[in-house]
Amino acid sequence: LDSGSVSLTSISKKIEDTEERRRLKAIVEEVSEANPVGVIIRTIGMGRSKDNIEKDYNYLVKLWNNIREKTLVSNAPAFIHSEDSVFKRVIRDLYDNSVDSIVIDGKDAFQEMKDVVKNMSSEDEINIIPYQDKVPIFNKYKIDEQILSLYNPVAYTESGAYIVINPTEALIAIDVNSGKSTGDKNIEKMAVNTNVDAAREVVRQIRLRDLSGIIVIDFIDMMETKNKRLVEKTLKDLL
């Protein structure tokens, strides 16, 4: 974010959709009209609402002004700015409307998170809960088990089906298996239900494992075109 006399908005080249680029540019020019600056919309900005972008913009302007003011009154050498804390990164990069609450362990950490939320957005919008159970927070939510599971090539779905993830040098192959998901007597119905369930888990694992590149998914065979389209739509919407 750089100060300037002329508003200049740049959109990440990875955002290829023309309408989305036009929408994002219009939003930035509107929120920055009173204070013209140069702004670059990162890839993560794709699909974000005006409110989200405006909050991030206001946060960056406030951050830049703090850095500038501190620089002007400091005598070198002086510590001016450090990388954002984990609390700021959580709110900026991970928090969205799908998150019900954020649980924080430790009084100091809880207060720091409240301060971050207060500076970055309306505190009423984010539900921050202090963790007070005697059981360590990682044990309570089985965090260690979940981290270890990321090294397991097999991931199970809620219906009892499972996917097998095999990374290779050229691509990532994901195989869908029905497993215990055999409750439906109709084979086609069983296949589509299992595939839709597996599609959700595939997307979840892609995010958790930070997978990228060419990803090939071998779903269970289906006969009806509408069912194939349903699985494709599920993947597309979730991604």
Side-chain angles (χ1 to χ4, degrees):
L1 182 71
D2 297 318
S3 296
S5 58
V6 179
S7 177
L8 176 62
T9 303
S10 178
I11 311 295
S12 169
K13 292 181 179 179
K14 292 184 180 180
I15 302 178
E16 298 178 348
D17 185 82
T18 304
E19 287 300 319
E20 178 64 4
R21 294 178 66 88
R22 188 179 293 116
R23 184 187 74 88
L24 291 172
K25 186 172 183 180
I27 290 175
V28 172
E29 290 180 348
E30 182 179 347
V31 300
S32 64
E33 185 176 5
N35 181 30
V37 293
V39 178
I40 298 176
I41 297 288
R42 299 183 298 154
T43 311
I44 198 173
M46 184 168 57
R48 295 299 178 99
S49 68
K50 178 186 174 183
D51 287 343
N52 289 141
I53 294 173
E54 188 170 13
K55 287 174 184 176
D56 199 31
Y57 171 83
N58 290 334
Y59 164 71
L60 289 174
V61 169
K62 184 177 181 180
L63 177 64
W64 168 245
N65 286 333
N66 288 339
I67 292 173
R68 184 173 56 182
E69 290 169 7
K70 191 172 182 179
T71 302
L72 292 173
V73 300
S74 297
N75 294 319
F79 187 78
I80 302 298
H81 179 66
S82 65
E83 182 182 358
D84 286 341
S85 69
V86 65
F87 302 106
K88 289 182 180 178
R89 295 200 301 272
V90 164
I91 300 298
R92 184 189 66 200
D93 298 335
L94 300 178
Y95 181 84
D96 57 30
N97 294 331
S98 67
V99 178
D100 295 326
S101 59
I102 300 175
V103 183
I104 304 292
D105 187 19
K107 292 182 179 179
D108 293 341
F110 177 72
Q111 186 57 51
E112 186 173 348
M113 175 60 95
K114 288 194 69 174
D115 293 340
V116 167
V117 169
K118 186 176 180 180
N119 289 331
M120 295 183 69
S121 64
S122 172
E123 192 169 356
D124 295 333
E125 296 180 5
I126 302 179
N127 185 23
I128 308 173
I129 301 174
Y131 184 74
Q132 298 176 330
D133 202 315
K134 292 182 179 180
V135 179
I137 190 169
F138 272 29
N139 292 351
K140 174 77 172 181
Y141 294 101
K142 300 180 180 179
I143 301 299
D144 291 332
E145 293 179 20
Q146 294 183 54
I147 292 175
L148 288 173
S149 70
L150 297 182
Y151 297 95
N152 189 339
V154 179
Y156 290 89
T157 69
E158 294 181 359
S159 65
Y162 65 93
I163 60 176
V164 182
I165 304 170
N166 291 309
T168 69
E169 187 173 352
L171 52 81
I172 297 169
I174 301 179
D175 186 38
V176 176
N177 296 275
S178 60
K180 297 180 181 179
S181 178
T182 55
D184 295 308
K185 294 182 180 180
N186 184 297
I187 295 178
E188 179 75 5
K189 186 177 180 181
M190 180 276 294
V192 68
N193 289 340
T194 300
N195 285 338
V196 168
D197 200 21
R200 297 192 184 100
E201 186 60 28
V202 165
V203 173
R204 179 171 174 269
Q205 292 298 325
I206 286 174
R207 291 191 173 124
L208 287 173
R209 301 175 188 231
D210 198 23
L211 303 178
S212 62
I214 299 174
I215 300 176
V216 179
I217 307 171
D218 183 13
F219 286 104
I220 298 172
D221 288 343
M222 296 173 292
M223 299 298 294
E224 297 185 25
T225 302
K226 67 176 183 179
N227 292 334
K228 297 177 183 179
R229 294 290 177 265
L230 175 61
V231 175
E232 290 175 0
K233 185 177 186 303
T234 301
L235 266 179
K236 183 177 180 180
D237 290 347
L238 292 175
L239 285 171

